[in-house]
């Protein structure tokens, strides 16, 4: 018996707004929406594809009434693929992200940020080809 990691659910106040932000960050598309829920991904999951192999998970934003109260126990890490880490941080700030400090010290080689609903995520080293 095997399970697949198919989606990561994110509780939030505004699923449409958060889905739009993460679509811009990850170059994902909205693949499903219903009242209070928006799912985004890089592909449209089918049962056959999921059964055949592990595919990239989707992100599912679910509207909840309560707000965020503590630092996330689970967060996303993103790596730029066609620019520097600094350029990506600048782009994400323009999309509505903020820099945040979760007390990890100054010698880290990643940048801790928060999405428009204050969910932390990290921008890691660039994966762009080096000239």
């Amino acid at each position: 018996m095997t399970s697949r990691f198919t989606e990561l659910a994110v509780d939030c106040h505004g699923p449409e707004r958060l889905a739009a932000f993460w679509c811009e960050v990850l170059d994902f598309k909205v693949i499903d929406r219903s009242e209070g829920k928006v799912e985004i991904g890089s592909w449209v999951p089918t049962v056959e594809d999921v059964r055949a192999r592990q595919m990239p998970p989707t992100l599912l934003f679910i509207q909840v009434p309560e707000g965020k109260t503590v630092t996330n126990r689970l967060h996303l890490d993103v790596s730029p693929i066609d620019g520097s880490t600094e350029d990506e941080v600048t782009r994400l700030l323009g999309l509505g992200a903020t820099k945040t400090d979760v007390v990890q010290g100054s010698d880290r080689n990643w940048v801790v940020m928060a999405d428009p609903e204050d969910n932390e995520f990290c921008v890691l080293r660039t994966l762009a080809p080096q000239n």
Side-chain angles (χ1 to χ4, degrees), residues 4 30 64 72 83 106 122:
R4 297 274 193 243
V30 172
V64 297
N72 295 14
S106 60
C122 294

Side-chain angles (χ1 to χ4, degrees), residues 10-125:
V10 179
D11 291 349
C12 61
H13 282 286
E16 291 287 343
R17 177 179 177 218
L18 217 47
F21 171 82
W22 282 105
C23 279
E24 287 293 322
V25 171
L26 300 171
D27 193 25
F28 278 15
K29 304 290 183 239
V30 172
I31 59 174
D32 192 32
R33 63 172 35 100
S34 59
E35 189 171 336
K37 296 180 187 177
V38 179
E39 186 174 12
I40 66 172
S42 60
W43 66 297
V44 177
T46 66
V47 171
E48 294 76 23
D49 285 336
V50 170
R51 281 184 157 153
R53 62 195 169 285
Q54 181 65 55
M55 300 294 288
T58 61
L59 294 175
L60 177 63
F61 299 96
I62 303 170
Q63 188 172 26
V64 297
E66 69 274 1
K68 180 178 177 267
T69 57
V70 296
T71 301
N72 295 14
R73 300 276 315 255
L74 177 72
H75 68 267
L76 300 179
D77 288 344
V78 299
S79 297
I81 59 167
D82 55 8
S84 71
T85 300
E86 296 78 22
D87 289 344
E88 183 65 353
V89 167
T90 299
R91 183 179 82 88
L92 298 176
L93 289 169
L95 294 175
T98 56
K99 287 186 179 180
T100 189
D101 183 12
V102 291
V103 193
Q104 293 188 350
S106 60
D107 61 341
R108 63 182 182 247
N109 61 356
W110 63 90
V111 179
V112 181
M113 301 189 79
D115 71 16
E117 288 205 15
D118 216 23
N119 299 299
E120 296 90 7
F121 67 98
C122 294
V123 181
L124 306 181
R125 72 193 177 287

